[in-house]
Amino acid sequence: MAAATGPARWHRNLSAKIAAIPMITTALVVFIGGTAWTVLYSFTSSKLLPKEKFVGFAQYERLWSSSKWLISIENLAIYGAFSLIFSLLIGFVLAALLDQKIRFEDTFRTLLLYPFALSFIVTGLAWQWILNPDFGIQQVVRNLGWENFSFDPLYNPDIVIYGILIAGLWQGTGLIMCLMLAGLRGIDEDIWKAAKIDGIPMWKTYIFIIIPMMRGIFITAIVLIASGIIKVYDLVVAQTGGGPGIASEVPAKYVYDAMFLSQNLGQGFAASTMMLLTVIVIVVPWAYLEFGGKRRG
Amino acid sequence: MGNVTRASADVQVSPVPQEMTGPRGPKPRTVLSRRNIMIYGTLIMVSLYYMLPLYVMIVTSLKGMPEIRLGNIFSPPVEITFQPWVKAWAEACTGLNCDGLSRGFFNSVRILIPSVLLSIAIASVNGYALANWRFKGSETFFTILIVGAFIPYQVMIYPIVIMLREVGLYGSLTGLVIVHTIFGMPILTLLFRNYFASVPQELFKAARVDGAGFWGIYFRIMVPMSLPIFVVAMILQVTGIWNDFLFGVIYTKPDLYPMTVQLNNIVNSTQGVKEYNVNMAATILTGLVPLTIYFISGKLFVRGIAAGAVKG
Amino acid sequence: METNQSISIKNLALSFGALDVLKDLNLDVGQGEFLVLLGSSGCGKSTLLNCIAGLLDVSDGQIFIGGRNVTWEEPSERGIGMVFQSYALYPQMTVAGNLSFGLKNAGLPKAEIEERVNRAAKVLQIEPLLSRKPAALSGGQRQRAAIGRALVRDADVFLFDEPLSNLDAKLRADLRVEIKQLHQKLSNTMIYVTHDQIEAMTLADRIAIMRGGQILQLASPNEIYNRPANKYVAEFIGSPTMNFFEGDIVGGDGLRFSTGDQFFPLEGYEFHNGTPVQGPAWFGIRPEHMVTGAEADTAAIRLNGSVELVEPLGSDTLARVAVAGRSLWVRMDGQALVRDGDSVTVGFDPARANLFDKSSENRI
Amino acid sequence: METNQSISIKNLALSFGALDVLKDLNLDVGQGEFLVLLGSSGCGKSTLLNCIAGLLDVSDGQIFIGGRNVTWEEPSERGIGMVFQSYALYPQMTVAGNLSFGLKNAGLPKAEIEERVNRAAKVLQIEPLLSRKPAALSGGQRQRAAIGRALVRDADVFLFDEPLSNLDAKLRADLRVEIKQLHQKLSNTMIYVTHDQIEAMTLADRIAIMRGGQILQLASPNEIYNRPANKYVAEFIGSPTMNFFEGDIVGGDGLRFSTGDQFFPLEGYEFHNGTPVQGPAWFGIRPEHMVTGAEADTAAIRLNGSVELVEPLGSDTLARVAVAGRSLWVRMDGQALVRDGDSVTVGFDPARANLFDKSSENRI
Amino acid sequence: TDLEVTHWWTSGGEAAAVAEFAKAFDATGNKWVDGAIAGSGGTARPIMISRITGGDPMAATQFNHGRQAEELVEAGLMRDLTDIAEEGKWKEIVFPSSLLDSCTLDGRIYCVPVNIHSPQWLWLNNSAFEDNGLAVPTNWDEFVAAAPKLQEAGIVPLAMGQQPWQTTLAFQTLLTALAGPETYTKVFGDKDAELAAGPELTKVFQAAATARDLAKDSNVQAWNDATNLVITGKAGGQIMGDWAQGEFQVAEQVAGKDYTCLPGLGVNEVIQTGGDAFYFPKVDDEAITKAQGELAKVMISPETQVAFNLKKGSLPVRGDVDLSAANDCMRKGLDILAKGNIIPGTDQLMSADSNQQVNDLFVEFFNNPEMSAEDAQAQFASIISSAD
Ligand SMILES: Nc1ncnc2c1ncn2[C@@H]1O[C@H](COP(=O)(O)OP(=O)(O)OP(=O)(O)O)[C@@H](O)[C@H]1O
Ligand SMILES: Nc1ncnc2c1ncn2[C@@H]1O[C@H](COP(=O)(O)OP(=O)(O)OP(=O)(O)O)[C@@H](O)[C@H]1O
Ligand SMILES: [Mg+2]
Ligand SMILES: [Mg+2]
């Protein structure tokens, strides 16, 4: 009779472990390794090439005394907050409208989704043009007779980040809308019926009943939006190049500029490290709660 | 219970005429009800807003330069010309090469196909392993991947240059394909994992009893029933990879530069005056591949998203 | 309208596109009556219920509730409460929240809301659960909470759409009793959709058997069981299902039913409308109306056969008996010791039989 | 190992993290036996089945199938076939594809696969469906196909996890019979998990009643029904549930059961192990063992009460009778005409009673 | 042999100039494989650097003159051209000879300078002034004086693109013109922070503030878009390097007639010896190494120099070439060069990092009207004090 204990644990699920090698490698070598490397070199005075000349926190001191960085962070915060709120809001409202058993749903959905197929370069270019005060919307409205009409978000440092937001939302809300639509379709019909019998108005049903039921969708949507926000770069470069002045700088661009324009890798790495730190502080506890602990099925 | 009417088995009570008063039949609804006006009104307005840039791009791309200089970007072309399209596709210059986007098109295709295939293959296997074959630490790796989704690409350029150099893949198509696979992995893995987790466990158990192993179940059971999520993954990846500029240009060399490099060159370099019509034509041409895929597979996209994203 | 009709449906029709789901349906439900809609899947039970609730817009016809024409009214104005198969509780609210949400929305004063919620909770014995969320409840508790949500509305009419079918057998039996008691206590009108015959039989004042969007028979459970209006109803009700013989009613000395080489005398059979008829017919007899052993020897009709299959249920034993190339289900006592292959004599009384016309399948 | 044991489970334990789902479980199943696992939701039935199938890694203990220790073998190597509640048919394959998938994996020659598939299809009468996909099948057909998939494996042991619970009552009854016949035809070992007592009673050679990861009683259906090993089993089996009286067994002239101010003589009661006992106890009697009317007058024990609630089932009538402040369920004939408030006498025979110790709740 | 050459010369004039290189190189029996990357050095340099450090270098690549490639050279990634330079007697022919200094590290030569760029020019559209009854200005002060009239006429006085280097360029130009070349050298070369904070510079910052006012309606990004405003008469003038000349030429404008150029804003006429240079990364391939040498020789050969610089609008790196085809503006440049009024470019004086900091400051300054000249000067002084 065989012993009660089984064969060594490691070889159970062996295929799964082998199949997961690319993932494990990516996670460990690229993400963890790359991050560690970045953090390490953020303490050096590397210029064009990485060099192990350690300078302590000098790069960080410089980083935090740079007005460009401070503006970048402020912009990211504004852009991030508005982008998150409006993407979810607009995406949800559009999805709710499309979910009303309307005709031409496919057409509307396609129209709202197509910008997602276009790159940020394209998006930025198109909007840069439409928002150009000399021949875009401002000029068109002026030509219609409102001589004093002024709408030049990309050329006004105070509101330039909102100009970028317009294009960002245009590009990204379609996907969020699809997510939300999928979520709405997953809601039990009977919930709607119950609410109707309770006499709950439509908007209240959405806010108090349906939205809380769509937690999963909102999480996926937030991951998508938030990861996009942190990475926002192309859109800014294509629309304003960070301008006017440094009014629309963002952290990803700061990193890029520091590494490749200033040829100050150390500085770029220090900025990267700050970004990573923020991400880790926010995302890791959440991701662990969300995907880690519990077991399914 | 005393007052219950004990009707006979014959229930066809003939209606008394006076009862026919009052509402009868469907609730009257006009096509222009306030509700419809609100819904369709909003949708049409929003759609117009979403269409605006595309409209401007198309209209502009069909105008000649003199007409563009006149100003109004919203006015339809007076004289339609396809010259800008021809120029964008075949004549626009980048430095010395004056063959427009056509030069990069096949490179883009060459990059796109293996990148999409490999990234989807790997991410789907990851998602499958995470959903059905958990092992110790698998969730930790997944958490790292998700965090990785938030790392800006720019941060990783350098480390990856070094890694690719060390494994000798720098500058090759393989290297680029790997880079796309790596950066597509987090979100795709998330989607696949959620999708496979929503596939009934019993199906998986049945297949194990039937003697199918890790790969048998993956190829014979999971893949064939997961078309929607593969479509979603394909759309996301096609869009991302086709539109990529940074990786394409950093991790390859000129004979492999994707179309977006030409696009960037056409858009960012001006020969005297900016040829907006050519720029717009080039822009649309570049977006054509992902757009086509969208229009073809829009329905599946929503279905796939529904399956892949609902479970959080 | 007669005032003792709580719900009255006139010539109701409903189509989904080209599919006519309900066709010229008429139904009167008395004040305080418990009506069960029974029928196979897809026959239009839920559709009918949704029309009454106002959740579906009718294609034609009228609906009266409490004498008022509500055909065009909003669901919340019809004075109805509804309970769903999937409970449809609002998952992020506590039970109390679920119960009070509709009332709050109607703008009722706080004190009144609280009072109603407490009253409903007391009736349903869910007071300790009021502050829990649905996810923390068992199936039975959830369904009770869902009933509570209908209850607080103080509705004249309650609509139930298969409220118990997601529960396991034991719970179903318990809740069935509770619903029955609830009805006795509240005595408002209830319309109850189910698949389950036991529920239908035990709960209903009247049962409406539906098929293809129409009502085939509307009568008391006893009538439905003992005098099904047609073969479909006869087969649909009862488990195991009624045994049928195909044959003819022939005259001669007293009417007889001839099947194969056998003749069943029909003395004691009450013909529909009292008129004896002749011609091709079905002869049906329920398994529990068949007797075996000593009793069989004295029965008016006797058949010899051998046991094919035995299903001991504990309380009863079901046996399938092969008789002249036909299988008949017979219910015996739980202690009956029969085995496959035993030969048995089964007997039955023609007074307990059901005869249906061959072509119209209606009771004769 | 004795060779006539088809499955033998020794000291099986399984935990999910801190949750011990199965605890030191021992079970022997004979060759060709039909064993039903019955128990309330969450008691570990599926878990046990999955352990036997090799779909879960055991925490401790051993599993033998056909005398071979398979504790660490792959599911496909254990010589088992398994049928699931949700059918778990591969949606993208035809029925034939579903049936042959496992065989192809095992590398069987084409001809043999075809032969086995055809054989199974014949047994289950699904030949015309072989080229259809699961989506184009009805529930019953799907379940048949799922059984077919287990069948083609020519397994020694079949495992069923609530195979019929997604089907409606009529179909369930039909397929139940088919499974029974299948077992008679194939005579391989079957382990069948269900919630449904009727299935358990009708199908099983032996029933194992589970609770909290352990087996409370393992015996034939008859034994379980008539001589439940403890109060839990007694309550669990039977619908409506057994009626209980709380009291004491007291001596005097002949043993008697005293409850309230009543004494039930216990002549004829077979004590467990034949040893009469005294002390606090439960007295249980099933509703179908209670008689009313004329029969009651001659019963050994008689109680007077009034009807509280009537549930006419057609074939039977259930009545809840209030007796001395206690409600008893009584089963009467389907034709019985009782109404709420009627006073009735119910009688029963102590030989049919079940006595359980008050503290251990075991049969005495 | 095929040689891949990367550069960021993609505007009309630039591309035409590159074509001259390619033509000359192809004539040697090799093949120029063009690797143009548009979007200025900022886009192109990371790509080039990645390629070189990634171990898959191109055969030759453009960098700005100066210290951009210093570390690559130090890391031994660049090919030593000393042999070829000695053979071609570059030390003698390159004029001004300081150009070669920035290609030299530890006495070895690593790059081929191909042109000299002088950024300090003011370009004016003649008709914009004349049509409004103004004389075409001959120096900065006149230009400022004429500005209000232009504004009235709806013409933007000063066109200015938004790219950071353009604003810095404008400032440097103002600095050299208004404070003189010595101050320039002291500030950027010696990093004299005191001077940077001093009154001399205050004047310059005031002028920069004025320029900021004049340019406030110019809504363009790229330098050539700004030039285009001048060409089309939408703007009066632009401070830009001599490469703007290429754009005027492509638009078939005639120097002196349609437009006017004022080196050093017509005040202090100097020329920066900045410019572009080509580097040759080390490669294993024998054939490529050989072709690299040939390309280096071709680039510096007199014929190519002339052809290239005529198209590019820049000045050749050797004094011994015949530029009879040069136009009015180019001639002005050549004269200044001949007089030896030269200053080194900031790329040569400061690290890319410090340059970028200066860029950042000026782009902020020129775009943020609230930032006072004093603030800007203070920040500037602080950057200079820590610059390297
Ligand atoms: N929204 C709808 N659109 C189109 N057809 C529908 C819709 N709802 C129901 N049907 C069809 O109407 C018929 C009746 O459906 P209904 O839900 O009323 O059946 P049911 O009697 O409640 O069945 P079940 O017992 O399965 O709940 C079915 O054939 C169904 O397919
Ligand atoms: N993968 C799992 N992880 C954690 N706990 C589990 C898991 N699977 C089952 N359980 C728990 O183990 C216990 C037994 O589950 P099991 O599925 O065996 O019950 P069951 O008797 O089959 O119930 P049912 O009749 O509802 O199918 C339950 O409490 C369940 O919550
Ligand atoms: Mg229904
Ligand atoms: Mg189970």
Side-chain angles (χ1 to χ4, degrees), chain C residues 17-341:
Chain C
L19 182 73
D20 293 329
V21 176
L22 300 178
K23 295 156 207 149
D24 193 29
L25 191 145
N26 288 283
L27 178 66
D28 288 311
V29 186
Q31 181 62 45
E33 185 173 359
F34 199 122
L35 182 89
V36 170
L37 297 176
L38 189 63
S40 61
S41 195
C43 69
K45 304 181 295 294
S46 301
T47 307
L48 175 56
L49 213 63
N50 284 331
C51 285
I52 297 173
L55 295 168
L56 283 174
D57 204 13
V58 306
S59 306
D60 197 6
Q62 292 165 302
I63 298 169
F64 297 83
I65 295 182
R68 199 158 47 93
N69 186 332
V70 296
T71 316
W72 291 353
E73 279 182 17
E74 286 297 311
S76 55
E77 294 161 2
R78 297 188 178 204
I80 52 158
M82 191 160 175
V83 179
F84 300 89
Q85 175 176 1
S86 62
Y87 322 130
L89 291 171
Y90 311 135
Q92 72 290 349
M93 299 183 194
T94 61
V95 172
N98 267 282
L99 265 60
S100 59
F101 194 52
L103 304 180
K104 272 192 207 138
N105 206 60
L108 258 65
K110 253 207 158 132
E112 162 128 31
I113 293 179
E114 199 162 319
E115 200 242 296
R116 284 210 207 174
V117 168
N118 286 334
R119 206 175 52 206
K122 204 163 179 183
V123 170
L124 295 162
Q125 296 167 7
I126 50 170
E127 288 145 311
L129 312 176
L130 280 180
S131 59
R132 289 211 216 150
K133 295 211 174 162
L137 301 180
S138 73
Q141 292 171 330
R142 281 182 211 182
Q143 196 50 283
R144 244 173 286 211
I147 295 173
R149 190 172 55 184
L151 216 56
V152 290
R153 297 180 52 75
D154 270 354
D156 305 323
V157 175
F158 273 18
L159 307 174
F160 293 84
D161 194 353
E162 310 198 22
L164 305 183
S165 61
N166 278 359
L167 303 175
D168 71 25
K170 264 218 144 38
L171 253 176
R172 210 148 58 209
D174 292 348
L175 272 178
R176 193 173 75 210
V177 172
E178 283 185 29
I179 290 176
K180 180 139 198 177
Q181 288 177 327
L182 193 69
H183 179 236
Q184 288 173 352
K185 215 178 301 178
L186 304 174
S187 70
N188 43 9
T189 313
M190 293 190 175
I191 302 188
Y192 189 105
V193 167
T194 183
H195 264 122
D196 182 337
Q197 300 179 29
I198 310 253
E199 274 172 34
M201 295 295 291
T202 55
L203 289 172
D205 292 327
R206 284 194 299 164
I207 296 175
I209 307 274
M210 287 185 69
R211 185 191 192 183
Q214 288 181 309
I215 294 179
L216 288 187
Q217 185 171 13
L218 172 65
S220 70
N222 198 37
E223 173 107 3
I224 296 251
Y225 189 80
N226 290 310
R227 300 178 54 79
N230 56 37
K231 183 160 177 272
Y232 179 82
V233 174
E235 266 187 296
F236 190 81
I237 290 282
S239 168
T241 198
M242 192 181 271
N243 299 300
F244 282 100
F245 298 87
E246 196 176 351
D248 299 275
I249 301 175
V250 292
D253 68 275
L255 284 178
R256 288 186 308 171
F257 181 82
S258 95
T259 172
D261 53 1
Q262 288 173 309
F263 289 89
F264 301 160
L266 294 179
E267 290 116 47
Y269 180 78
E270 277 180 47
F271 280 93
H272 195 53
N273 305 328
T275 343
V277 190
Q278 296 193 15
W282 292 100
F283 181 101
I285 182 86
R286 295 199 181 276
E288 59 271 29
H289 296 159
M290 313 264 256
V291 289
T292 50
E295 287 179 76
D297 299 338
T298 63
I301 305 169
R302 281 185 305 278
L303 299 169
N304 294 317
S306 68
V307 175
E308 280 183 328
L309 189 92
V310 180
E311 295 204 305
L313 307 183
S315 53
D316 306 294
T317 303
L318 300 178
R320 207 168 71 193
V321 181
V323 176
R326 175 178 293 112
S327 288
L328 301 179
W329 278 104
V330 180
R331 191 173 84 167
M332 307 182 194
D333 185 71
Q335 309 301 313
L337 289 171
V338 283
R339 287 176 178 283
D340 293 7

Side-chain angles (χ1 to χ4, degrees), chain E residues 196-240:
Chain E
E200 195 78 355
L201 268 273
T202 310
K203 202 171 67 191
V204 179
F205 273 95
Q206 300 294 355
T210 312
R212 179 171 71 185
D213 273 353
L214 300 183
K216 71 175 187 296
D217 291 326
S218 127
N219 285 326
V220 286
Q221 285 280 341
W223 70 266
N224 46 352
D225 291 339
T227 310
N228 203 42
L229 290 181
V230 179
I231 293 173
T232 55
K234 287 190 185 129
Q238 179 192 17
I239 299 176
M240 189 42 61

